[in-house]
């Protein structure tokens, strides 16, 4: 079988879709059944050694435009609200890659779009839909992004012969919202990188020292600071814990600054001044792995997830997890996490208090989490995805 990918998601800085694409390519490039593997960015085509070099980041790609503060950020935010922005970008990319796609279609390649909206393609098409949060919670997204997906996603779902969903929850959403036949949608769970694992205390000391926290002495949450992640309720729940517990287990919020978070920052401020909440922003990956493995508790009461990979990464790191009882998260944790109602500050607070006050329970959840995470591997994701390609190649 011969496979084609849109590689725009590999542009830095990588998003979750970019890492998904990378892990698929890493597995497929080793598969003997794959007779051809290629992709495009703009008018550039990547095959063979050039594709390997791109995956290993030996070939530079132009960064996606991203600013977090200052005048540039304000200009970018204004531009994102301009009517036609997403559509215009899609049209430009489609024109640039039209001849490349036509050539691969003639050569019998299966096109797998890993990032929601597929380009037009005359050959077999597979698309991965990671979630439908733009339909369930449009308030979490820029209006132009919602309008773009509402317009383009139905076309993609008609074009694709097979639709891959990250979870049964997302599959059910696709069937319910868009009326796609259930037989056309395949659930394939994501995997956890082997780098997420328990680490010995001595190997974590340097990373913990840079942040100023102790091993087993903090609550960790990792995500972009945005409304969907429910951080304001998490912080408000943390503020309801006894003062000595907050002092013993400060809350560490790791992630890039997002949007619609001015109220969150207001709630954080007094706790940060008291040394009970830390917001270090971006943390190098090497440090992040050690922080995962050193937390007393990983708290992720997100309001909506198509999969919720941070929960799986935390479980693989050997840490107890508190998460939501909604959307895909119970499917991912599979009974190995403490589940709470993410809309109830009291329930989140009660869960944290129970877990932080009961080391034996945390140890029990950590063991269960390691077993569950061992079932979620990228090798399994690639193997199940290859079965989809095989079906289309038959």
């Amino acid at each position: 079988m011969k496979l084609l990918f849109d590689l725009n998601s590999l542009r830095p800085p990588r998003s979750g879709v970019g890492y998904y694409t990378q892990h698929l390519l890493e597995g497929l490039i080793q598969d003997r059944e794959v007779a051809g593997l290629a992709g495009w960015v703009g008018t550039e085509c990547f095959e063979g050694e050039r594709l390997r070099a791109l995956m290993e980041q030996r070939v530079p790609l132009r960064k996606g435009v991203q600013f977090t503060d200052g005048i540039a950020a304000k200009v970018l935010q204004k531009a994102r609200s301009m009517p036609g922005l997403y559509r215009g970008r899609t049209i430009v990319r489609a024109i640039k890659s039209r001849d490349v796609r036509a050539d691969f279609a003639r050569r019998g390649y299966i096109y797998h779009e890993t990032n929601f909206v597929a380009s037009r393609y005359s050959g077999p098409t597979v698309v991965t839909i990671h979630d439908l949060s733009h339909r369930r919670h449009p308030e979490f997204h820029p209006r132009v992004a919602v309008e773009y997906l509402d317009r383009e996603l139905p076309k993609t779902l008609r074009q694709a012969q097979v639709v891959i969903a990250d979870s049964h929850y997302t599959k059910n959403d696709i069937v319910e919202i868009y009326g796609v036949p259930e037989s056309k949608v395949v659930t394939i769970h994501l995997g956890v990188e082997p780098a997420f694992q328990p680490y010995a205390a001595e190997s974590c000391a340097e990373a913990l020292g840079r942040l100023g926290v102790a091993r087993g002495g903090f609550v960790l949450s990792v995500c972009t600071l945005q409304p969907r992640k429910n951080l304001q309720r998490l912080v408000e729940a943390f503020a309801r814990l006894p003062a000595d517990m907050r002092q013993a287990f400060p809350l560490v919020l790791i992630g890039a600054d997002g949007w619609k978070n001015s109220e969150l920052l207001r709630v954080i401020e007094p706790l940060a001044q008291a040394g009970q909440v830390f917001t270090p922003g971006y943390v190098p990956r090497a440090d992040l792995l050690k922080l995962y493995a050193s937390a007393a508790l990983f708290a992720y009461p997100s309001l909506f997830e198509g999969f919720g990979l941070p929960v799986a990464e935390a479980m693989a790191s050997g840490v107890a997890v508190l998460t939501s009882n909604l959307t895909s998260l119970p499917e991912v944790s599979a009974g190995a996490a403490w589940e709470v109602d993410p809309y109830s500050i009291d329930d989140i607070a009660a869960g944290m208090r129970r877990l932080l006050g009961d080391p034996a329970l945390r140890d029990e959840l950590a063991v269960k989490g390691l077993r569950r995470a061992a079932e979620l591997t990228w090798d399994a994701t690639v193997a199940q995805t290859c079965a989809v390609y095989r079906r289309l190649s038959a």
Side-chain angles (χ1 to χ4, degrees), residues 353-375:
R353 185 168 185 170
R354 173 68 192 279
L355 291 172
L356 292 174
D358 192 341
L361 178 57
R362 295 204 305 272
D363 290 344
E364 178 185 336
L365 288 176
V367 170
K368 289 181 178 180
L370 284 168
R371 285 200 297 263
R372 171 55 177 158
E375 300 170 351

Side-chain angles (χ1 to χ4, degrees), residues 192-239:
V192 182
E193 294 179 51
F196 290 94
Q197 58 179 276
Y199 287 94
E202 54 270 22
S203 69
C204 301
E206 192 173 338
L208 294 174
R210 277 192 283 271
L211 198 57
V213 294
R215 183 176 175 87
F218 62 98
V219 178
L220 178 67
S221 194
V222 178
C223 59
T224 302
L225 307 187
Q226 52 142 310
R228 180 162 63 97
K229 302 304 180 179
N230 205 28
L231 292 176
Q232 184 171 330
R233 287 191 182 92
L234 174 61
V235 174
E236 290 178 354
F238 177 78

Side-chain angles (χ1 to χ4, degrees), residues 6-7 14 23 28-29 33 42 51 57 133-134 152 159 231 285 321 323 335 345 349 359:
D6 180 344
L7 302 177
R14 292 275 177 89
H23 291 310
L28 294 170
I29 209 165
E33 286 190 77
L51 178 60
Q57 300 184 19
S133 61
H134 76 286
E152 300 297 332
Q159 174 180 322
L231 292 176
R285 179 177 170 78
V321 173
T323 192
I345 296 171

Side-chain angles (χ1 to χ4, degrees), residues 23-347:
H23 291 310
L24 280 183
L25 292 172
E26 287 171 346
L28 294 170
I29 209 165
Q30 305 295 332
D31 194 305
R32 293 181 180 180
E33 286 190 77
V34 178
L37 187 62
W40 83 85
V41 177
T43 57
E44 290 189 86
C45 176
F46 296 85
E47 295 182 86
E49 178 55 33
R50 194 152 187 263
L51 178 60
R52 286 181 181 271
L54 177 65
M55 290 163 54
E56 295 168 4
Q57 300 184 19
R58 290 185 280 118
V59 173
L61 285 178
R62 183 172 58 83
K63 289 185 178 181
V65 181
Q66 187 177 64
F67 303 105
T68 58
D69 52 28
I71 295 175
K74 292 177 181 177
V75 171
L76 180 62
Q77 289 166 6
K78 187 71 174 176
R80 282 175 172 161
S81 301
M82 291 173 59
L85 174 70
Y86 282 81
R87 182 172 175 79
R89 184 183 64 183
T90 302
I91 290 172
V92 169
R93 286 182 175 179
I95 291 171
K96 285 184 175 180
S97 63
R98 180 177 52 201
D99 292 342
V100 172
R101 285 180 281 115
D103 178 56
F104 280 106
R106 286 191 294 268
R107 292 159 60 187
Y109 277 68
I110 297 169
Y111 164 38
H112 184 173
E113 177 53 62
T114 59
N115 195 15
F116 291 91
V117 175
S119 299
R120 290 185 182 179
Y121 193 68
S122 59
T125 301
V126 178
V127 63
T128 299
I129 305 298
H130 301 281
D131 66 71
L132 293 182
S133 61
H134 76 286
R135 291 299 301 271
R136 294 300 190 190
H137 289 283
E139 70 274 14
F140 293 156
H141 301 275
R143 180 177 56 82
V144 290
V146 173
E147 292 173 350
Y148 166 72
L149 288 170
D150 279 343
R151 181 178 58 251
E152 300 297 332
L153 202 50
K155 300 175 189 176
T156 289
L157 294 172
R158 289 193 296 270
Q159 174 180 322
Q161 282 70 49
V162 181
V163 178
I164 295 174
D166 289 349
S167 61
H168 295 301
Y169 177 85
T170 298
K171 174 179 178 175
N172 292 337
D173 260 5
I174 294 167
V175 172
E176 178 184 335
I177 293 173
Y178 289 105
V180 178
E182 190 172 347
S183 60
K184 184 175 174 176
V185 188
V186 178
T187 298
I188 301 178
H189 287 150
L190 305 183
V192 182
E193 294 179 51
F196 290 94
Q197 58 179 276
Y199 287 94
E202 54 270 22
S203 69
C204 301
E206 192 173 338
L208 294 174
R210 277 192 283 271
L211 198 57
V213 294
R215 183 176 175 87
F218 62 98
V219 178
L220 178 67
S221 194
V222 178
C223 59
T224 302
L225 307 187
Q226 52 142 310
R228 180 162 63 97
K229 302 304 180 179
N230 205 28
L231 292 176
Q232 184 171 330
R233 287 191 182 92
L234 174 61
V235 174
E236 290 178 354
F238 177 78
R240 296 184 184 183
L241 298 180
D244 59 342
M245 185 172 280
R246 297 198 306 269
Q247 209 64 46
F249 298 100
L251 177 61
V252 178
L253 303 176
I254 292 177
D257 192 14
W259 53 91
K260 296 184 178 180
N261 57 17
S262 57
E263 183 62 20
L264 167 64
L265 298 177
R266 186 192 65 76
V267 173
I268 286 174
E269 185 178 3
L271 295 165
Q273 290 178 351
Q276 296 172 0
V277 173
F278 297 91
T279 55
Y282 171 79
V283 171
R285 179 177 170 78
D287 284 3
L288 182 62
L289 295 171
K290 306 303 171 55
L291 292 170
Y292 262 109
S294 300
L297 175 66
F298 183 78
Y300 198 80
S302 178
L303 297 175
F304 191 99
E305 294 292 333
F307 186 79
L309 193 54
V311 166
E313 292 169 344
M315 292 191 298
S317 302
V319 60
V321 173
L322 177 146
T323 192
S324 301
N325 61 6
L326 299 178
T327 68
S328 66
L329 290 163
E331 179 181 338
V332 173
S333 60
W338 188 274
E339 296 176 11
V340 298
D341 175 358
Y343 289 96
S344 170
I345 296 171
D346 286 341
D347 202 24

